[in-house]
Amino acid sequence: PLTGAAADDVIAKRQWVRDHLEPDARHKYEILSEKLRLLDTILKNNWVEPRETLKLQCLGITFGDALAQELGLKWITVEDEYGRDPALVVEGTSIITFPLTAISKRVESGEVVDVYELFRAACETIHRLKKEVQP
């Protein structure tokens, strides 16, 4: 499960993105379309530079929140030889996705990120994988 320092880090990253909304509009973060709109706005306005990996990873957490909301995924911590990272799991399966770097690795390599297309493609892939693992 996502607990302790890992959970605190995800909360802080989520808050950094949420704080781009006006204080009286921060409740809109709970709306899927608003999460995606916020990510799109931040990226299209170049409010984060390609060298600002931490801020780009904040966007990845919000992207993960959108996936979790749309697909019923659960945040977990995955530990491997490289360290501990937040990830999303399709409960009851071995399907795990790592949204933390979904945006950062693209921006850092110079790609223009279409948040809506990235979200559509990720949802499509996860749906396909779920069908493949079901009996």
Side-chain angles (χ1 to χ4, degrees), residues 8-30 34-35 37-39 41-42 47-48 55 58-59 61-62 65:
D8 292 344
D9 186 56
V10 166
I11 290 167
K13 284 178 168 66
R14 180 181 294 129
Q15 189 63 44
W16 184 84
V17 176
R18 185 185 287 135
D19 284 349
H20 284 79
L21 294 167
E22 292 294 325
D24 63 340
R26 291 196 179 136
H27 66 279
K28 290 183 178 182
Y29 185 88
E30 302 309 316
E34 287 298 312
K35 284 182 185 77
R37 185 191 63 75
L38 182 56
L39 289 173
T41 299
I42 291 169
W47 292 345
V48 181
K55 290 179 181 178
C58 292
L59 302 181
I61 293 300
T62 293
D65 283 346

Side-chain angles (χ1 to χ4, degrees), residues 3 28 59 76 125:
T3 60
K28 290 183 178 182
L59 302 181
I76 61 169
T125 298

Side-chain angles (χ1 to χ4, degrees), residues 30-135:
E30 302 309 316
I31 303 167
L32 175 63
S33 62
E34 287 298 312
K35 284 182 185 77
L36 297 174
R37 185 191 63 75
L38 182 56
L39 289 173
D40 187 56
T41 299
I42 291 169
L43 289 167
K44 282 187 175 171
N45 287 292
N46 297 310
W47 292 345
V48 181
E49 298 291 324
R51 61 179 166 68
E52 295 180 292
T53 302
L54 181 63
K55 290 179 181 178
L56 290 168
Q57 289 180 352
C58 292
L59 302 181
I61 293 300
T62 293
F63 184 72
D65 283 346
L67 289 172
Q69 186 173 353
E70 177 71 8
L71 302 171
L73 307 178
K74 181 180 177 185
W75 281 103
I76 61 169
T77 301
V78 174
E79 187 168 355
D80 61 17
E81 65 270 15
Y82 303 109
R84 296 170 55 100
D85 287 308
L88 292 168
V89 64
V90 176
E91 290 191 88
T93 75
S94 60
I95 300 169
I96 298 173
T97 187
F98 295 86
L100 182 70
T101 58
I103 293 173
S104 65
K105 68 182 180 182
R106 288 167 173 82
V107 171
E108 289 167 347
S109 70
E111 290 181 44
V112 174
V113 178
D114 180 333
V115 170
Y116 298 100
E117 176 56 26
L118 185 62
F119 181 76
R120 186 204 59 74
C123 288
E124 185 177 284
T125 298
I126 294 167
H127 280 302
R128 179 179 49 79
L129 291 171
K130 284 170 63 173
K131 286 180 184 175
E132 289 176 9
V133 298
Q134 291 179 353

